[in-house]
Amino acid sequence: MKKSAIPDPFEQTRLEKGVGEMNEQNDPIVMVLRHKDVRRCAHKWQTFQSGAQPGRIVIPSEVAIRDTRQIPFELDPPQHGAYRTLVEAWFKRPLQEAYQAQLSQQINAIVDEALSRDQVEVVSEFSLPLQSRALTLLLNIPYSEAATWISWGTHVFRSEDDPLDKSKANILYDYIDRQIDQAIKNPGEDLYSVLLNSEIEGHKLNREEVKGVMILTFAGGRDTVINAVTNSIAYFADHPESLELIRKQPDITGKAVEELIRYFAPLTHMGRVATQDTQVCEHAVKADSRISLCWASANRDASVFENPNEVILDRKINPHVSFGFSHHNCLGATHARQILKTLLQVLAQKVQSIDLLATEDNIEEWGNFKRKVGYHQINVHFNAK
Amino acid sequence: MAKITFITSDHETITVEGTSGSVMQLAVKNNIQGIDGDCGGVCSCATCHVHVPTEFQDKTGKASEIEKDMLEFEDNANESSRLSCQLDISEALDGIVLHIAN
């Protein structure tokens, strides 16, 4: 197996039972594994809610470390729709030419720097700076702010081995509090200020609501983007012919982005809380217990995807669920897609090949399932075209 | 060359011409309201949902099983629903009228 491969640990259970089970902080989870069931459960918000206690639908649960409700993520319709509509246009800004030009400039600079060095540790020296700098565009704040986020390192928001470590999470929450204070004192054209000035159903967004949107924006788009970028570099290191294919057929870049995102599934799963006694795949789910929508498993469902464990860059039909499904689909998806699209374009243009020197896999454990989601470290050498 | 008419949910009528690619791509290129095409045309996002009037359904053919699955959970979906990323532009579509679902 190639080093860049991301195996599917769910296959047997998905075929035989359709659901997996795990426990976490004494709050058990039924993991929904089949594509159709994942989509159905994601759609049935009346039965499987997001608006539970803040932090509970995240896995591992954040109920012990967070009181602020993430918005619009931890709300259900119809409330969810009003907040989503409020922020939607802002999060579509990556479709604008000026935004794309700035992002391209950033990614070109990062690839140029990587090409100039003997060796690059991709997670901390490539993906983290790339993600952080791109986030300044999404928030519309000065580029220099990225240095602060880069200095936090990769595992800032959560202790690796202790989901109850509040001090880690507070680094982010305290930072956002300070930024909101500043935006109140000196309003600008950044996301904090825009939110503080927004109205919903006749009232201005309050501080806690603004904080909820900002926490979502920071936390939702950090590890996911870092994993997607890192895994892409690993993939192209193992598959120079794919870089060549994109060079020769730039038209497939959009499809390639979707396929890489399907294959990587940078977020393995997301929870919901049952509002009533119900069942999934004939498996009983009790009211007020958790399920997870396992995007990573659904993306390898052979009843939907031919050769699901292969990366087929120009896959034409690709109903993956890496960005979730239904009304809660990823708010940052436009930004994430634009990052990956630009990355592929720049790599194809400037990089001949990438040598994989050393890798240390990041393996998550969910009950009995062990899933590789990315890398703790990966050292490479970029060869210029 | 095919002339394709879009009727938006605000009842605006826009006719555009295309030669290749998908109907979704043509709509996005022409900023047709209600067609986003977030996923670029791989049947993953369902943001290019249109209704095909009965008289034009011979021209478009039927949705694949996967496309039907994607439409199953969509608001405003009915028997005339298609994802316009799955409609390839050709002479056969010339003169078609599509109602945008959202």
Side-chain angles (χ1 to χ4, degrees):
Chain A
M1 192 169 65
K2 295 213 178 207
K3 280 184 178 170
S4 67
I6 310 270
D8 167 26
F10 305 108
E11 184 177 9
Q12 197 184 347
T13 313
R14 181 174 62 239
L15 285 168
E16 288 173 3
K17 290 162 66 180
V19 292
E21 289 178 84
M22 61 172 282
N23 198 347
E24 187 264 322
Q25 296 178 52
N26 294 318
D27 193 1
I29 300 167
V30 172
M31 302 171 73
V32 183
L33 301 178
R34 292 176 185 158
H35 189 267
K36 196 155 195 164
D37 293 326
V38 166
R39 291 169 67 250
R40 186 182 296 124
C41 294
H43 190 70
K44 280 172 64 177
W45 56 270
Q46 297 94 335
T47 312
F48 300 109
Q49 64 166 182
S50 296
Q53 184 184 1
R56 196 172 169 210
I57 63 168
V58 183
I59 307 169
S61 169
E62 294 178 354
V63 290
I65 55 169
R66 168 160 67 83
D67 302 316
T68 302
R69 181 173 297 282
Q70 290 189 13
I71 292 177
F73 166 64
E74 291 175 317
L75 292 172
D76 292 301
Q79 238 189 338
H80 165 267
Y83 285 92
R84 176 84 188 214
T85 305
L86 185 74
V87 294
E88 188 90 33
W90 182 273
F91 283 85
K92 291 270 183 190
R93 287 165 49 256
L95 296 175
Q96 297 169 1
E97 263 176 46
Y99 192 110
Q100 294 178 1
Q102 281 179 285
L103 186 61
S104 176
Q105 204 176 11
Q106 287 186 2
I107 293 179
N108 268 287
I110 250 172
V111 171
D112 286 343
E113 200 208 322
L115 281 166
S116 75
R117 297 175 51 184
D118 283 344
Q119 203 181 117
V120 179
E121 197 291 289
V122 178
V123 180
S124 60
E125 296 173 348
F126 188 93
S127 305
L128 172 63
L130 192 160
Q131 181 273 337
S132 297
R133 290 169 192 168
L135 188 61
T136 64
L137 296 176
L138 189 61
L139 269 52
N140 200 27
I141 59 173
Y143 176 84
S144 56
E145 194 63 17
T148 305
W149 310 332
I150 295 167
S151 76
W152 289 344
T154 43
H155 295 295
V156 62
F157 304 150
R158 191 197 294 280
S159 234
E160 269 284 87
D161 45 4
D162 179 11
L164 304 175
D165 184 350
K166 219 170 182 164
S167 62
K168 278 267 188 181
N170 280 342
I171 294 175
L172 174 66
Y173 305 157
D174 294 346
Y175 169 83
I176 290 175
D177 272 329
R178 289 196 301 275
Q179 300 305 307
I180 294 174
D181 286 337
Q182 277 189 18
I184 291 170
K185 268 191 227 153
N186 301 305
E189 292 179 356
D190 51 275
L191 180 56
Y192 303 96
S193 304
V194 168
L195 291 171
L196 284 163
N197 205 27
S198 296
E199 278 190 22
I200 191 152
E201 289 162 354
H203 78 273
K204 278 213 165 168
L205 281 197
N206 64 40
R207 188 191 173 97
E208 188 68 2
E209 291 169 324
V210 172
K211 192 175 170 182
V213 177
M214 296 310 302
I215 293 177
L216 173 66
T217 308
F218 272 93
R222 192 161 165 108
D223 290 356
T224 46
V225 171
I226 290 171
N227 281 336
V229 170
T230 307
N231 295 357
S232 297
I233 299 297
Y235 170 77
F236 286 115
D238 261 349
H239 297 272
E241 75 283 1
S242 293
L243 213 46
E244 192 59 37
L245 183 70
I246 291 172
R247 239 191 305 276
K248 282 190 182 143
Q249 297 180 40
D251 286 355
I252 70 160
T253 308
K255 288 191 175 75
V257 167
E258 297 303 318
E259 174 66 349
L260 291 173
I261 291 171
R262 175 192 74 85
Y263 184 76
F264 299 150
L267 179 71
T268 299
H269 56 169
M270 181 53 71
R272 296 286 189 269
V273 174
T275 56
Q276 60 197 61
D277 287 349
T278 183
Q279 51 182 8
V280 179
C281 279
E282 296 169 359
H283 188 96
V285 175
K286 281 215 172 328
D288 197 37
S289 72
R290 294 195 288 174
I291 65 163
S292 87
L293 310 168
C294 192
W295 319 120
S297 170
N299 281 351
R300 303 294 179 98
D301 191 328
S303 68
V304 177
F305 303 97
E306 235 174 90
N307 300 320
N309 297 317
E310 277 176 42
V311 174
I312 301 168
L313 284 183
D314 59 351
R315 195 182 281 274
K316 287 173 186 59
I317 304 282
N318 195 349
H320 70 78
V321 286
S322 287
F323 289 122
F325 180 74
S326 200
H327 48 277
H328 276 295
N329 65 22
C330 176
L331 184 59
T334 313
H335 179 68
R337 283 181 161 121
Q338 196 58 43
I339 287 176
L340 286 184
K341 191 176 162 190
T342 310
L343 177 66
L344 266 54
Q345 287 167 339
V346 176
L347 289 176
Q349 194 194 336
K350 295 190 163 167
V351 176
Q352 183 61 42
S353 62
I354 303 167
D355 305 327
L356 212 46
L357 306 174
T359 59
E360 186 195 341
D361 290 348
N362 178 3
I363 312 251
E364 304 169 330
E365 289 194 25
W366 308 111
N368 292 326
F369 301 108
K370 290 183 175 53
R371 177 177 189 248
K372 173 177 169 185
V373 67
Y375 303 84
H376 288 304
Q377 280 194 57
I378 160 170
N379 292 293
V380 304
H381 173 77
F382 286 86
N383 298 301
K385 219 174 99 47
Chain B
M1 178 80 75
K3 265 191 187 174
I4 295 176
T5 300
F6 295 96
I7 300 178
T8 69
S9 53
D10 295 340
H11 309 292
E12 197 187 343
T13 300
I14 305 132
T15 301
V16 292
E17 286 180 355
T19 49
S20 64
S22 72
V23 172
M24 178 279 289
Q25 287 169 320
L26 181 70
V28 169
K29 203 171 116 195
N30 288 283
N31 295 314
I32 306 286
Q33 190 199 333
I35 300 286
D36 293 337
D38 288 347
C39 76
V42 294
C43 211
S44 142
C45 69
T47 60
C48 63
H49 181 185
V50 295
H51 293 292
V52 184
T54 320
E55 63 268 32
F56 297 114
Q57 286 177 10
D58 283 352
K59 289 176 183 271
T60 58
K62 290 212 162 89
S64 67
E65 282 307 308
I66 287 177
E67 187 184 334
K68 279 185 197 158
D69 280 350
M70 282 308 290
L71 285 161
E72 185 186 349
F73 298 120
E74 272 306 293
D75 293 340
N76 310 323
N78 62 28
E79 283 180 357
S80 72
S81 290
R82 291 296 308 267
L83 294 178
S84 59
C85 71
Q86 300 302 306
L87 302 176
D88 286 330
I89 294 177
S90 71
E91 298 275 335
L93 291 192
D94 190 36
I96 198 170
V97 178
L98 300 168
H99 295 260
I100 291 162
N102 297 309

